[in-house]
Amino acid sequence: MYSTDSSQPVSNETIYAPKKVSFYEHRKTHSMRPVPSGMIDFSLSSEQVARHLIGATLTVDGIGGQIVETEAYDPEEPASHSFPGITPRNAVMFGPPGYVYVYRSYGLHWCLNFVCREEGHGAGVLIRAIEPLSGLDVMRERRGIEPVRLLCSGPGRLTQALDITHRHNGMALSEAPFQIEAPLEPVGIVVGPRIGLTKAIDLPWRFGLAGSKFWSKPFPKHV
């Protein structure tokens, strides 16, 4: 999750320099269990989950909408936070699937990720944008703007609109305040390279709802 874009994950620690910790040392103080959530199978690869999340409905305390843009990250590629191994910052990524991983990007805003694959692997999906459907007035108040298209069209925008902070880090997607439901029918998906990265820039692991007006940025027209 390296990035030159402030809305993107970064693997070099911009807030503090963490020491290495073992996953089992982390587990001593974090009780976590595998969680199925909303018919989305988070035990699959991050690429698969990122696709399956397009068109899904996500709400936090009843505020939210339809997921229209995601990015996949895996520890085997250097753009991922988990590529260097487990640290205090990224330890949740190495837990069981179906949990929330939240971090602050460039010290500016929070980013929302969902943990994938088996426990100990370290994969995740960044939620880049949603189409607001419920609680628009609350979102507008939190964001301080009126246009619906700008409320959640970017990782930092959507976390501000949904009031996501580090207090949500390590929470289960199957429990309040989160609610996530898979799309009821197949949706069209567009694919492209992830945004603002300096490594693994050619991987086509950014996914979007075809025809959506709520992406953070346009997808390449040739895709």
Side-chain angles (χ1 to χ4, degrees), residues 81-219:
H81 271 190
S82 55
F83 181 71
I86 190 169
T87 70
R89 186 193 193 200
N90 69 17
V92 171
M93 290 189 74
F94 292 86
Y99 280 80
V100 173
Y101 169 49
V102 180
Y103 64 89
R104 192 186 288 276
S105 178
Y106 285 100
L108 298 175
H109 54 251
W110 301 104
C111 291
L112 175 65
N113 303 261
F114 299 160
V115 179
C116 310
R117 287 281 302 257
E118 68 276 6
E119 187 171 338
H121 182 78
V125 173
L126 171 67
I127 309 303
R128 283 199 57 89
I130 67 173
E131 177 181 348
L133 296 176
S134 59
L136 271 66
D137 289 341
V138 175
M139 291 186 190
R140 287 188 173 105
E141 182 177 354
R142 290 170 175 171
R143 293 273 293 118
I145 60 173
E146 287 293 323
V148 176
R149 194 183 67 81
L150 299 179
L151 291 176
C152 300
S153 57
R157 290 173 175 176
L158 75 86
T159 53
Q160 185 180 22
L162 301 183
D163 193 28
I164 296 290
T165 69
H166 198 259
R167 73 183 187 278
H168 295 96
N169 190 48
M171 288 187 176
L173 284 166
S174 62
E175 301 175 0
F178 292 94
Q179 184 172 353
I180 182 166
E181 296 294 337
L184 297 178
E185 55 188 35
V187 298
I189 296 176
V190 291
V191 182
R194 295 171 297 184
I195 294 175
L197 303 181
T198 60
K199 297 190 177 184
I201 59 176
D202 294 326
L203 279 177
W205 280 6
R206 178 183 173 223
F207 306 93
L209 182 65
S212 175
K213 298 178 181 179
F214 295 88
W215 301 330
S216 62
K217 291 184 178 181
F219 279 77

Side-chain angles (χ1 to χ4, degrees), residues 13 16-22 25-26 84-91:
E13 305 299 331
Y16 60 87
K19 67 176 182 178
K20 295 281 185 175
V21 296
S22 73
E25 180 181 352
H26 172 74
I86 190 169
T87 70
R89 186 193 193 200
N90 69 17

Side-chain angles (χ1 to χ4, degrees), residues 27-46:
R27 282 291 301 276
K28 291 178 182 178
T29 55
H30 292 73
S31 177
M32 306 175 79
R33 62 190 185 282
V35 176
S37 180
M39 299 173 61
I40 300 287
D41 186 358
F42 288 95
S43 69
L44 298 175
S45 71
S46 58

